[in-house]
Every structure is written in C-alpha cells, then in structure tokens.
Amino acid sequence: QVQLVESGGGLVQAGDSLRLSCAASGRTFSDYSMAWFRQAPGKEREFVAAHTWRLKNTYYADSVKGRFTISRDNAKNTVSLQMNSLKPEDTAVYYCAASKRYYFSHYSRDYDSWGQGTQVTVSS
C-alpha cells in the first residue's frame, strides 16, 4: 500500500479556485490509479475525479466536469486536484485514494489506500 497525505484545503468564496495536493509514499506510485473523493456532512462519500495508471485516462463526476482537473506527477509522487469556479455545494472533506486496479472505478471500495482528508469550505 501507499501512504497518502492531502494538503491545500481551506475556506474560499463561491467562484474562487483552490488546488489540492496529495503526496504518496511507500510503493511505486506510478503503478497506482489515483482518485479524489469527497464527503459532505450527513452524506455518503462520493467520487470526484480519477486518473488511471495504465491508460492514463481521467474521469470526472458530472457535478465537477469542466471545473475540476486531476493531474499527477509520477516523478514527485503527487496527484493534484485543481478546482475552479467553486460552489457552496463543493463544501466537503476531500480524500485522496489509491488503487492497484488499472481500470477506472468510482466505487470507494475499489481503493486500497486513503489519506486523512482535507476540508474545503465554499461560502456563498
């Protein structure tokens, strides 16, 4: 497994941008598909974005498509989530996750390693 540590969360206003980062250690980072999930108070954890390691494809939830961008730097063992045009409904704890699977999955159960989460709060 890899160890994951997120950073970059904070309090912003609607329409602002924020960039989350996730630093990985412990295993060969390039062999993992990476994803971001989020969990708002009282709600289930939901998929946000993913990047698969073999085909290097990216996937997004419909709610963030066109606003969020996932990227990874295998040389630095990091994955980032650029969030633009933030909305109050984007408020949640954001989690970085890693999976050995080469195919895309939006199910949290398919991810083997998780970070501790970073809070993103968007005020209206």
Side-chain angles (χ1 to χ4, degrees):
Q1 289 189 341
V2 292
Q3 288 75 50
L4 305 172
V5 178
E6 302 98 334
S7 61
L11 171 63
V12 296
Q13 293 186 330
D16 285 351
S17 298
L18 205 57
R19 186 177 182 87
L20 305 182
S21 293
C22 174
S25 62
R27 290 290 184 180
T28 306
F29 177 72
S30 58
D31 291 345
Y32 284 80
S33 292
M34 301 299 297
W36 288 93
F37 287 77
R38 67 187 182 187
Q39 188 167 16
K43 294 188 176 181
E44 297 285 324
R45 188 170 297 189
E46 64 174 3
F47 166 77
V48 176
H51 183 286
T52 55
W53 70 265
R54 179 177 289 184
L55 297 179
K56 300 177 175 56
N57 290 332
T58 56
Y59 302 86
Y60 298 94
D62 288 342
S63 59
V64 306
K65 201 171 294 183
R67 300 187 299 122
F68 290 12
T69 302
I70 187 171
S71 60
R72 68 191 292 164
D73 186 335
N74 288 338
K76 296 182 178 180
N77 286 3
T78 59
V79 61
S80 299
L81 184 69
Q82 178 66 42
M83 304 185 295
N84 298 329
S85 302
L86 282 162
K87 304 175 181 180
E89 50 263 45
D90 294 319
T91 295
V93 177
Y94 284 70
Y95 296 91
C96 176
S99 170
K100 286 291 288 182
R101 293 168 174 79
Y102 66 88
Y103 55 83
F104 165 65
S105 172
H106 66 279
Y107 294 109
S108 58
R109 64 175 180 259
D110 288 333
Y111 290 82
D112 314 298
S113 301
W114 293 83
Q116 82 287 351
T118 185
Q119 176 71 46
V120 172
T121 304
V122 184
S123 63
S124 57

